[in-house]
Every structure is written in structure tokens, then in C-alpha cells.
Amino acid sequence: MASSASIPAPEAVQVLVSLLADDSSAVRTASMSSLKDIAALNPLLVLESCATVSRGGRRRFGNMAGVFKVMAFGVHALDKDDIDPAFMAKLAKIATAELISSKEFNSDWQRAATSLLVAIGSHLPDLMMEEIFLHLSGTNSALPAMVQILAEFASTDPLQFIPRWKGVLSRILPILGNVRDTQRPIFANAFKCWCQAAWQHSIDSPSHFPLGGDVMSYLNSAFELLLRVWAASRDLKVRVASVEALGQMVGLITRTQLKAALPRLVPTILDLYKKDQEIAFLATCSLHNLLNASLLSETGPPMLDFEDLTLTLSTLLPVVSINNDSKDQSDFSIGLKMYNEVQRCFLTVGLVYPDDLFLFLVTKCRVKEEPLTFGGLCVLKHLLPRLFEAWHSKIPLLVEAVKSLLEEPSLGVRKALSELIVVMASHCYLVGSSGELFIEYLVRHCALTDNNRSDLDILSKRVEMKIRVVTPGELRTVCEKGLLLVTITIPEMEHVLWPFLLRMIIPRSYTGAVATVCRCISELWRHRSYGNDMLSECKTHPDIPTAEELLARLVVLLHDPLAREQLPTQILTVLCLLAPLFPKNVNLFWQDEIPKMKAYVSDTEDLKQDPSCQDTWDDMIINFLAESLDFIQDADWVMSLGNVFAKHYELYTSDDEHAALLHRCLGILLQKVNDRAYVSDKIDLMYKKANIAIPTNRLGLAKAMGLVAASHLDTVLEKLKDILDNVGQSIFQRIMALFSDSFRTEDSDDIHAALALMYGYAAKYAPSTVIEARINALVGTNMLSRLLNVHHPRAKQAVITAIDLLGSAVINAAETGAPFPLKRRDVLLDYILTLMGRDDNDGFADYNELLRTQAIAISACTTLVSVEPKLTVETRNHVLKATLGFFAVPNDPVDVVNPLIENLITLLCAILLTSGEDGRSRAELLLLMLRQIDQFVSSPIEYQRKRGCLAVHEMLLKFRMICVSGHCALGCQGSCAHNKQIDRIILDQLFSISLSLPRPAGSLISSEDIELSYSSLSSLEDVIAILRNDTSIDPSEVFNRILVATLHGCSVALNDKIKQSAEGAIQAVVEFVSRRGRELSEFDISRTTQSLISATVHASDKHLRVETLGAISSLAENTSPSTVFDEVLATAGKDIVSKDISRLRGGWPMQDAFYAFSQHMVLSVTFLEHVMSALSQTPIVKGDAYRVEDSQVDNNIENGNLQAAIFALTAFFRGGGKIGKRAAEQNYASVLSELTLQLGSCHGLANSGQQEPLRNLLTAFQAFCECVGDLEMGKILARDGELSENERWINLIGDIAGCISIKRPKEVQNICLVLTKSLDRPLKYQREAAAAALSEFVRYSGGLGSCLEQMVEVLCRHVSDESSTVRRLCLRGLVQIPSIHILKYTSQVLGVILALLDDSDESVQLTAVSCLLMILESSPDDAVEPILLNLSVRLRNLQASMNVKMRANSFAAFGALSSYGIGALKDAFVEQVHAALPRLVLHLHDEDAGVRLACRNTLKRVFPLMEIEGLLALLNTQSFLSDHRSDYEDFLRDIAKQFIQHLPSRVDTYMAATVQAFDAPWPAIQANAIYFSSSILSLSDNHHILAIYHAQVFGMLVGDLSRSPDAIVRATCSSALGLLLKSSNTLSWRAVSPDRSDSTSRNHDLESTPNQQIQTET
């Protein structure tokens, strides 16, 4: 047992006290906690140490607040027997000396000093008070502090203060009159605390409440002074503090004095309500106390009549509305507290005067002042549940009062009224007609919009009163929530709500509330108490809407798919529920169709992205209604529904889009009705109700007429004719037209536009078999021409659209088998062209609208051009003349101009397709049109050239489509002479067309130049003809002479200024090479290639360059391709080194050459293989080549060969098209393997500072991905391609391999075969790339068979590679062998891991540990057992690594090994566990979260092997599972207890390992070791352990560790010292009494150097 002599407790306490001034708050907190624990055991020792350091004051010790707090705790911990009055007096003087030495107040150290004096007072109140009384003089600067101490003492210990209150008052009152204003709040606060203490004393000890006559006299005097003088002070703080104090004193003074004070006190309190919110809250608290004292006194009747309270209550009412809903977090708490306090005041009054208060509140609610009305409603809402019984008889009055406020305009009042209605509903006040009235009130406000502000006229008043403005949206939300709450939670309201809510669907003013109403109906249905009787009840209420009215209203309200509160979904749900109200046939259809419609509108975000969703949804609604009517099959019911639709026009404004849908709904209904008179009547009504001045309404009307015309065409046409005949014929219109041209124009435009659209949609929807005569009648007379007298752009658009619809109707008729020609089609075209022009008086018209009109007109022209009969020449020319000028329209606005140009090009193509009788005539027409477009193609303005070229391209495509048909016009099958003649004609025409195509601006080609070009071409053709036909000439001789003279120097001929000559030369070269190319020597091939490349470089014409590249391709195809490719690559490499290829004018010729090879049917595969071969033979970096001569290195970088090959690949993949893609697919494995290896090489270059090769290779790799369609691999490259860190690019290659394995599993085997050979390459980075890819491919090699064996063999061989990256990647690959094969190789892989755990490279060791974790998941026992102990030892060594991942993985792997530590190896493995256990426990709270988790999981696995129940129980505790340090320290104490109890023989070993950890490199582990060892020592009773370690650990804590530079170590030292001193093993020190006579000398160093010590430590 450690004796007290061996435990330097005083030194430990001195260390802890010195740590109170530490720079770290954690250290200060820990030391204070330990000192408090020690003080509980030996308070005198702590107090003496603290008293010693406090002698120097704040200047000598930096944390006097902490010292005073510890001393206060120590004083509280003293037993009565230990109380030394002299020592307590000494401490009191220390505290008061500090207090009087400063003029400041309310700082931390002063509050701590106050707490010390209060603690002394708890033992020796008289001593403390005497010390305070010494300084209670009016001239003492510490007077406020002394008074504050007395206030704190009263609040802390009322039972000891109140008996001595008389002495306090006797000393305070004489100086009270001389207190300065700045100090008065402190004195007032003291009186408040003293009075509160008196109240508490009366509660705790009512039989000994010592308020004698003297105290009452003093208190009355103080009350009068506060009331008459201080409460009237000009200083607001003084007034507020005085009112607070008076609020506490009113319950203590006599009734007589209180009653006399009320006339002055009440106005004083009410005056404070004019100030800010916080002051108003304090005033309300005082007022509440005053009301309780004056009204609820047990000693007499109320001192105030209700009439006396009216002013107070009137003042309180507006306070309810002051920011009671503030969203400001700082104001919210005070506002809510004040709101509740005001309600308590009213409740106090209500308990005494319930009837009077009710009448008062009702009266105030009727006053036309918003604050009073609002406040009254809020108070009623609050008090109604609390005064329910007293107010029960007042229900009718309350209902009438609420009724009188239903029309109140203020939104704030409406909100309060709505909340009150909900409260009334919860108490079943809403019954009968009044209940329906209030529900209707809620529904009305559910329909509010944010634009609806009916109380703007009083907004300024509310701002002035600081009442927060209530928005319509907030009011709507309150009403919606309230209505739903009433519906769902109050069953008694069901009889009021149903079927009354159905009435709320129809009124126009409640349209915005339909979503909420429908939801409430759905909730009622879900919670219904009387089942299907709900629907039958509807029929018993005559005022409930009929089924027809509900359907008509709800279908139209479906219009907006994006409406708030999911309106369409709510409506469709209600329709499903109400289906039994409708004819029974429709029920099943709705059950099937409505879910589909709900699904369409369910995702509003998707709908917002679809610009056509509104039209689609409207069509779905019309189809839904149409099919519903088909299922109903009840003509009378349908006509009744039509009557309702007609009545519902009054529910929608003319500019409401719902009105347009209503037109269409009525139209589809009339389509189903056979009564012509009914239809005619409803058509008349529809037209009268339509506001045709609004385009949306006009369009809805026209579509509705079209729907009617599908069944009643003649009726509709008669109505339209009648309207047309009566345009402008009414007396009113004629009178207005005399005075206003604008009236006549606008009114006429709207009518004509509407009529035109109605005619158009009538033609569109009418049956194709009956429209011919009607259209002919319309077009054949002057009826249509009367519609053309329109001026407004929208009206013009409507008329043009109508003509377009007529044409479309003719086309549809032809498609349905009823074709007919459109008479006077040319006249209609003329109408359109006239309408799209600008009128003379249209200068004010919107330019954008004009362009839209013209775009619609051109589209309509396209429609009319496409119908029979064909255009005449005159009409065609007229149309072209009127429209071609649009090519010159300015480019802005783009969204309007682009559709115009697209429609124009479509029109030109339509004219070309429908005009002409044969190929020649169409070719002539094309020639004519191209010549007219030429002015735009050759325009200097870019957008005009672009439009012209686009038009030419589209027209040529159309021409080729109609001319190259492959069929003889005379009926011949196969090839025939007629076709050849036609072909010649077509070619003739195309040649003529080509001559007419525009030339570049400024270029002039004379007829002589053209002839010369043709002569040159003919000469070359003659040479070829001679070689073919004249057998007397030796072709080889001619060939040799031409080859030597021409091929070697053909670049000049190929670049002839005469284009035709150059083309002829190219053709000749191609012909020579294709015939005799195999006779060329390699030198000749090389020279010829160079000449052709030179010609390509100098070719200024793009076409000639393409032809020359074709010649190079022909040379490669017919000679030695590798020679040609080498020359091209060499030239490309030189260009890359010597030129900026990205800025070459006309592009880089070599890139075009690569494109040509990639698109060549024969050469593409060969060229790709050649480039891959060139890449594989390219050495890269000096530092990368272990077995490459220095002279061979970097040459390829300097001459550009590597870059050329990479650029060639990029061009091949991007420009190869289908042919290049097919070649890449055929060579996928070799290409991908080489790209992967080069990725490694280029990353090596990037590490040496050469970034460009890597960027170019990534571009090539991306191009390859795009070419073969591996988009996912492309995304991987784009994400991580340029990350040059070693591990990042290795992971990139692994990701690529994984992507390939998933997307292209058939290619994996071929790729792996290439990569296994690549592991023997001399370049380090290429070997690393190969290893990275193979290590990932192994994972997907389950079906590769022998290839897998070869891969495993290669990987095992290269785990000894010179590159650490290769070693770890090979190991990583070995552990990823598929599970179906891994058992075969487990022993081999484990042997490799065991060897690499001792690798010299840390990254390899880390990989080995990680791989061990993976392999152990599936390893059999016989593979692990032979090396179990070796693995355990190596893992324990790695657990001390500085690498956090190494530590985490080694701990985790050790836990995984526990699965094999059974059977014969159990005892040996448990020994390993005991050896590792201290480190596991210490690292359970490692700085790294991963290490913590690994240790936690490992302990869970190894504890069962130790077979100790207590340890297993710890695994489920919060202290073990938590990451908080306090919980971890609890765990250390718990596990130390288990070790001492169950493993006493192991404690010595654990302690030795733990003490060694004091020198760990991690401060957190040092701290853990300190606390763990201290926990063991504090709990152990083993004399051997204590003798060895107790003094050692205690000495280290008091010595070096307490001066550690790390705060966590110092803080833990503080906690550990407290732990050791509290332990039961060191009881003797607790009796140590400080020798106060020697305290000064013994603690001299502690007084003088605490701050210096801390500075030295830092």
C-alpha cells in the first residue's frame, strides 16, 4: 500500500492549482474538476493552496475566477467540524479585497468572488455579513458589489438570509437615499432578490416566517422610496429595475399600503409599455404579480373593481399583437414569453370577473381599431378552453360577436378570427347555420391570393404600432391548416362539413380554395362514420350542387396541371369518390382512367420542363370528358350537363384560361347531342359568352366550334355565316364607328379573326367526306375575302391559321381516301401573301409580331403549295418573289427569326417537290431557284450566306430524292437505255446547276480559263486512253518514264493553279499507282509519298487536298503501306516539333491524311495496327528505363514520333466514321492495352514536367472511347485523367479496367494476354500500368480458365519487382481472384503477403495488410494456421506505425485473425491478444476515426476468446460505442476494473506497456495511457503493482507530464491526479492538514512562477 509519505498530495494540488491559469480552456476545466473532487475529500488542503496563489491578486495569477470557484466549492464541502472562523474570515477578506480593488463590476472573477462569499455565508452567515457590512458605506466604490453579494446570498440561501434581513435593511435604508442613479438598478435588483427570497422562505418554512414589524416598516419605507422617487426617475434603467422590484414587493407590503399605492403604481407600470419589447415584458411580469396580489388575496376582497381594470386591460390588449409572430430568432423568445404573460394577466382577471371580462373582450372586438380587435380575439382564443365552464352560457354572445367580425377588412384580424373559429370548433361551438357560416369563412380565405390585400388602407397604422403585417399567403395557410384540422381531428364537425363542403366547390369567389376543399372531402370520406350514406345524404339536401354541376365545375378546374396544392390530383380523387353520384356506367371507366391522369400530373418538375404540357393536358381533359359522355349514354343527362356548362360561364372571367377550356368542354358535349335546336341554341350562347378580343378565349371558342362541327357541320356553318353577315350591323356599332375608326377596326378585327379560326377548325374536325362542297362554297364565293379586312397582327395570324387549316383539311381528306382539288388555291395564296405584308398604317405594330405573322404565313403557303392542283408558273414566281427576301431579315430576335427561315426553306423544298412534270422541268426549276438564292449565298453578311447555303443543301437533297429513283418512266425493269438518257439529262442539268452555284466574292473565272481547265483534263484522259487501247506501246516503258518524271515531282502538277488540271494530275497519279504501283521500289514509294505530302501541304483548295490524300491512300493500298505510313508519321512528327499545328491556316494537312487512312475501307485496319506498333516501340523517360541505353531515350520525344502517333490515333478515332469504328472494334484489345501502357508512360513524363504528351494521349483515349461507344470509360478519363499523383492514375487505370470488364467481358481475355507479356517491358511506368490493369481484370477472370493461371503466375513472379508500385499492384491483383478460384491459390497468396509485410516500402506493407484483410474473409483454416503466429507478430509491429491507415488496417487484420485462434492454437493466440490488448485499448480513442473503429471492432472479436463476461458486457455500453472523450474515460475505468478483477496476473504486463506509451508520438495516446494507468492504480489493491508503479506514475504526472506542450496531455494529467488522489488506496493523505505557519515559504515558487511556467511550456 502506498503510504501518505509516498504520495505528495500537497505538490499535486499545487500543480493542479497552477494549471488553473493554463492557456487551454480544456486544461483549466480539467484541473478545476479535479480540484473540486479533491476538495470534497480534503477541502482545507485545496483551500490553503488556492488562498496562497490568490494573495498576489489578479496581477500575479491569471485565472482568479477559477481559483475563487474552486474555493467556493471547497467552502461548501467543509464539514461543520472543519469550519475555522479565522480561516473563513481570511478567505472572505481575500475575496472582498479583490472586489474593492476594482471599479469594474460584473466580470467573471467578481462573480466568482461573490460565489465564494456566498459559500462562506452558507456556513458562517454572520461572519460573511459582518465582512460585507464593513464596506456598506455610501462613499465606498465597492458598495454595488457588496449589495449584489447580499442579493446572491438571498437567492441562494433564503432560509439563512431572511432571519438576518432586518440587519441588512437597517444598514441599506440609511444610504438608500444617497445612491447615485447609475447604482440604483443594482439596489433595485437586490430588493427584487430579497423579496423573492422572502416568498421562497414563506413556502419552505411558513411557520417560521420572520417578517416582524421592523422589517415591514423598513420594507414599506423602501417601497415608498422606490415607488415615489426611483420609479419616477428619468433614467429608463432605473425605472425598469424599480418596477421589477415593486412587482416582487407588492405581495409583502400591507393591504392598506398596496391599495394606496395602486393609483400611482399601475400607471407607472403601464407607462413602460411605450418602450421596447423586452421592457414591456418585464412590466407585464410585474403587472401580473400586482394583479395576483390585488385580486387573489386570501386576506380580503379584491382591491380593484373591474371598472378600475379597464384601462389596464385596454393597455394590455394591443401588446398581444406586437410582434407575437416575429420570425426574428432574437425577438421570438421574448415575444412569446410576453404573449404568455399577458394571457396570464387576463386569466387572473378572468378568474375573478369572468362575465365582465367576457363582455369587455367582446366589446373590444367590435371596436374598429385593429390592435384592440386583434388582441381581443387572441385573448378569447386563449381563455376559451380555460374559462369554458364560466363562459358556457355566453356561447350565443360569442357566436354573434364572431359573426359581426366576418366582414372585417384587416388581414391580421381575419387571421386571429380564423384561429378563434378553429378553437370554437374544437369545443363544439360550430353548429347549425352559424357553423356553416364559419366554415364558409375559412373556405373564403383559403381562396386568397398574394395579390389580394384588402387591408392596405390601415397598413401604415400597423407599421406605426409595430404590428407585423399579415400577408394573404399567411392568412391562407392558417385557414387551410385550420380547415384540415377541423376536418381530420374533430369527429363532431363531420355533420357540419358534409355535404356542406360540396357547396363550396361551385362559387366563383372560392375557386382558389377548391384544392383544400377537395382534400377535406377526401379526408371526410376516409374517416367517414356513416359509410355510403354520405352520398345518399347529398340527395336529401336541395341546396347541394347536382352531379352535373359538380362535374362541370371540376372538369374545367382541372385546366392547370401545375396548380398549387396539387389541385388536379385532388379534383380527380374527389371525382373517384363521388362517382356513385353519376350515371353508373361511368364509374368503371373513371376507376381505370383517373389513375392515369393522376400519374401524368404527379411530377410537376418534369411538367415544367415540357413546354407542350398544357396543350397535352387540355387534350387529355377533353378526351376524358368525351369518353365519359360516351359511357354515360343518357341523352337527357348529357343535355342537362350542357345546360350547366352554359350557366358556368358566369364563374370565369373572360381573360381566364378556364373560360377557353369551358368552350371546348361544351363543344365536345354538343358533339354528342343529336338535338339540332339544342345545339344551335348553345352555339349562340357560346359565341355571346366568348370574349373574342382575347386570343386565348378566341382560340378556345374556335376549337369548340370545330368539335361541334364534327357532328353538326351545317349548323355551325350557318351560325358562322350569320355572324359574318351581321358584322358591324348593330345600331350601337354603327354609331360608334362614326366617331371612332379604332373602335371599328379593333372590333372588326376580333370578329373576323374569330370567324376565320372557327371556319378553319370546323374544316379540321369535320368529316372528310362532307367538307369538299363546304370548302368550295366558302372559297368559291367572296365570303372568305370578307375576313381579310383585318389589321392587328394577332387577327392576321388567326386568319392565316384558318386558311392553313383549310389546306390541312384537304390534305387529310386525300390521306383518308377522299381527295379533291382546292379551288381558287392561287387566290388563297394571294390572300396569305397580302396578310403577311406590312400595312401603311402599321408603323406602330410590334416588329416581333410581324415576324411571327410572316412565319405563320409561310407555313400556310407550304400547306397550300402541297395540295392539288399544282402551282401555275405565275403563282409560283409570285410566291418566290414575295418570300425569298426573308433570307435578308436581320438575325434578331433569334427565337422568332429562326422558325421563319426554317419555314421558308421548307416552302422552297415543297415548291420544288410539287412543281414540274419531269426531271428536266424540275431541274430547270431548281436552276432558276438557285440563281435567285445566289445573291444570299454570295452575300458579305454571314447569316445570309449561312441561310442561303442551308437552303441550297436542302433543295439539292430533295432534287436527288425525286430524280434518282432507279425506275424508268417508260416501264423498263433493270438497266435500260432510257434510264441512261435520263441520267445524262440529269447530269447535264446538275453540271449546269453547278456552274450556276455562287462563287466566292471577288473571284472571276473567264470562259478561257474554263476551256483551258477542260483541255488539261482531256489531255490526261487521252494519255490514260492510249495506255489502255494501243497495244503497240510498251506500258511499262511509258509508266517508268512518267513515274520518274512525274511521280517524284508531282507536287507541282498537283498544285496547278487550274483546278481542272490539278484534278487531272491527281487522277493520273491514282491511275498509275493502281495499275503499276507494285513495281515501285521502297525508295520510289518513299519519294512519291513525300511529293504527295508536299502537294497536300501546299494545296489551297480543300477539294484538291482531299483528292491528293486519296492519291496517298491509293499509293499505300497498292504498294507498301508501312513505308507510306512511316513517311506520313515522320512528317507529322517534324511538324509537331517545328510548327504550331493548331494555328495552321486551312488546318493541319497531316491530320487530314490520318482522317483519310481511317476512312479507307482497306487501309484503316492496317494503319491502326501500324500506329500501335510504332507506339509500342517508343522508349519514353530516362528515369523510367532500367534496361534501356541512354542514347535511345528521349529521341522519340525530341523528334515528335510519340506525339505524331498519338495525334494519328486521335484523328483515326474521331474521323474514321463507321469504317474507323469497325477497325477499332476489331483491334479493341491491342488498342486498349497499348493506350493503357502509354498512359503509364505519359504519367511518367508528366511527373518529370512534360504535361503535353499526357494531355494529347488523354485526348486520343477519349476519342477511342467515343469511337467504340464506351461513354462510361470516357467519363472516367474526363474525371481523373490529368491527376498526376501516383495513386490517382493507378486508380484511374483500375477504373478503366473495371469498366471494360463490365461493358465488354469478351475482350478481357485478349487484353490480359497482351498485358501479361507487357509486365516484362523495361519501362517502369509501363509495367506499373500493366500491373494496375491486370490487378483489376483478375477480379473478372472467373471464366478465363488457363489465362487465369498464367496471370497468377506472372503476378506472383513480379511481387519481387524493382518497383514498389508493381509489387503492391501484383499483390492487390492476387487477392482479387474470383471467389470460385481463390481457394486454389490461398496458401500461395498468404505466403506472398507474409513476405511483403516485412517489405522495405511502407506503401507495400500497407497494401499487404489491406490484402490480408481481404483474403482472410475466405481463407480456410489449414491455409492460415501454419502462419497464424507469424502474422500476429508482424501485425503487432505495424500497429505502432505513424501511418493512420497502417494502424487501422493492422488492428482490423489482427481482429480478423481471431477467427482462426481456436482449437490447438487458441492458447498461443490468446497470448498474442494479451500482448496487443493495451495498445488496442489506448488506440480505441485514437486521433483518427478509422483507427478508432478498427480497434472497436477488433475488441469485439477478441474479447470472446478471453472468456470474461464482464468484458463482453462492456461491448454494449455507451462508453465503448461513443467517440466522446468523457465516455472513453468512463470506458477506461470500467475495463481497468475488469482487468483488476479477472486478470490480476496480467495487470503488471498491461501497466508496463501502458507506461511505455507515455512516450508515444501522439499526444492523444499519451493522454489515454495516463488516464488508463491512473485508472488501474486507483482501483487496484495489489501491493506489488502499487509499489512498482504508483509512485512512478504519480511522479511523472506531477513532473514532466504536467508541463507537456500538448493541452490534452496537461488536461488528462489534471484528471488523473484527481483520480489517483480520490482512490481508496491513498486514504492517508486526506487527513493531511496544511501547516499554515509555513505556507508562505512552502508555496513561494508557486506564487511567483505560475504564469512563467505556462509560458515556458508553450
Side-chain angles (χ1 to χ4, degrees), residues 862-1145:
T862 304
T863 302
L864 294 184
V865 164
S866 304
V867 302
E868 293 293 337
K870 292 186 176 182
L871 287 178
T872 63
V873 175
E874 293 79 7
T875 304
R876 181 196 69 204
N877 293 339
H878 180 49
V879 173
L880 290 176
K881 180 179 179 182
T883 57
L884 285 177
F886 290 123
F887 278 121
V889 171
N891 218 23
D892 290 323
V894 176
D895 59 327
V896 180
V897 174
N898 283 351
L900 172 64
I901 301 301
E902 291 171 3
N903 292 349
L904 177 57
I905 294 174
T906 304
L907 172 62
L908 296 178
C909 293
I911 292 174
L912 180 63
L913 287 172
T914 57
S915 301
E917 301 296 334
D918 52 21
R920 178 181 292 277
S921 62
R922 290 194 179 97
E924 291 174 349
L925 174 60
L926 177 61
L927 178 61
L928 172 66
M929 295 170 70
L930 291 178
R931 284 174 176 164
Q932 293 182 6
I933 298 174
D934 178 56
Q935 58 179 316
F936 304 107
V937 177
S938 58
S939 169
I941 302 175
E942 180 182 0
Y943 65 80
Q944 293 187 14
R945 293 198 304 273
K946 182 178 179 180
R947 296 168 183 172
C949 292
L950 182 61
V952 169
H953 176 258
E954 292 294 331
M955 292 170 67
L956 288 175
L957 288 178
K958 296 295 182 185
F959 182 78
R960 184 181 68 175
M961 179 185 72
I962 59 176
C963 292
V964 188
S965 60
H967 299 287
C968 176
L970 301 178
C972 301
Q973 301 295 326
S975 66
C976 66
H978 305 110
N979 265 343
K980 292 181 180 179
Q981 293 172 5
I982 295 172
D983 289 346
R984 292 191 186 98
I985 294 172
I986 293 174
L987 290 174
D988 230 10
Q989 292 299 325
L990 285 176
F991 183 71
S992 300
I993 291 168
S994 67
L995 292 179
S996 74
L997 287 176
R999 300 181 295 274
S1003 65
L1004 297 174
I1005 300 179
S1006 63
S1007 58
E1008 291 81 2
D1009 292 336
I1010 295 176
E1011 291 300 325
L1012 185 59
S1013 300
Y1014 279 108
S1015 299
S1016 302
L1017 179 61
S1018 300
S1019 299
L1020 287 173
E1021 291 175 344
D1022 291 342
V1023 172
I1024 296 172
I1026 292 171
L1027 289 174
R1028 289 176 175 173
N1029 300 325
D1030 195 342
T1031 57
S1032 63
I1033 300 176
D1034 184 2
S1036 62
E1037 181 181 354
V1038 175
F1039 175 75
N1040 287 335
R1041 278 190 278 121
I1042 294 176
L1043 189 64
V1044 172
T1046 306
L1047 290 183
H1048 289 183
C1050 63
S1051 62
V1052 177
L1054 298 183
N1055 287 312
D1056 196 291
K1057 292 183 179 180
I1058 305 303
K1059 182 177 179 181
Q1060 288 80 358
S1061 299
E1063 290 175 345
I1066 294 170
Q1067 184 177 354
V1069 171
V1070 172
E1071 188 71 22
F1072 291 153
V1073 170
S1074 61
R1075 296 290 184 181
R1076 305 290 295 278
R1078 299 190 182 280
E1079 300 178 15
L1080 293 173
S1081 66
E1082 191 156 333
F1083 174 77
D1084 292 332
I1085 296 171
S1086 178
R1087 285 286 306 277
T1088 303
T1089 304
Q1090 293 173 9
S1091 297
L1092 291 173
I1093 291 173
S1094 176
T1096 304
V1097 172
H1098 294 92
S1100 59
D1101 185 83
K1102 186 175 181 180
H1103 173 71
L1104 290 179
R1105 178 181 287 185
V1106 173
E1107 293 296 326
T1108 308
L1109 292 173
I1112 296 176
S1113 300
S1114 180
L1115 179 65
E1117 180 183 1
N1118 293 282
T1119 59
S1120 170
S1122 61
T1123 304
V1124 176
F1125 297 155
D1126 283 339
E1127 288 296 333
V1128 173
L1129 288 174
T1131 303
K1134 294 175 184 177
D1135 284 355
I1136 292 170
V1137 173
S1138 60
K1139 302 176 182 178
D1140 185 356
I1141 60 175
S1142 63
R1143 297 188 178 183
L1144 292 178
R1145 187 174 182 181

Side-chain angles (χ1 to χ4, degrees), residues 1255-1271:
R1255 294 193 186 98
N1256 294 336
L1257 181 70
L1258 288 173
T1259 303
F1261 217 144
Q1262 284 279 12
F1264 171 71
C1265 296
E1266 295 169 3
C1267 177
V1268 298
D1270 287 350
L1271 302 181

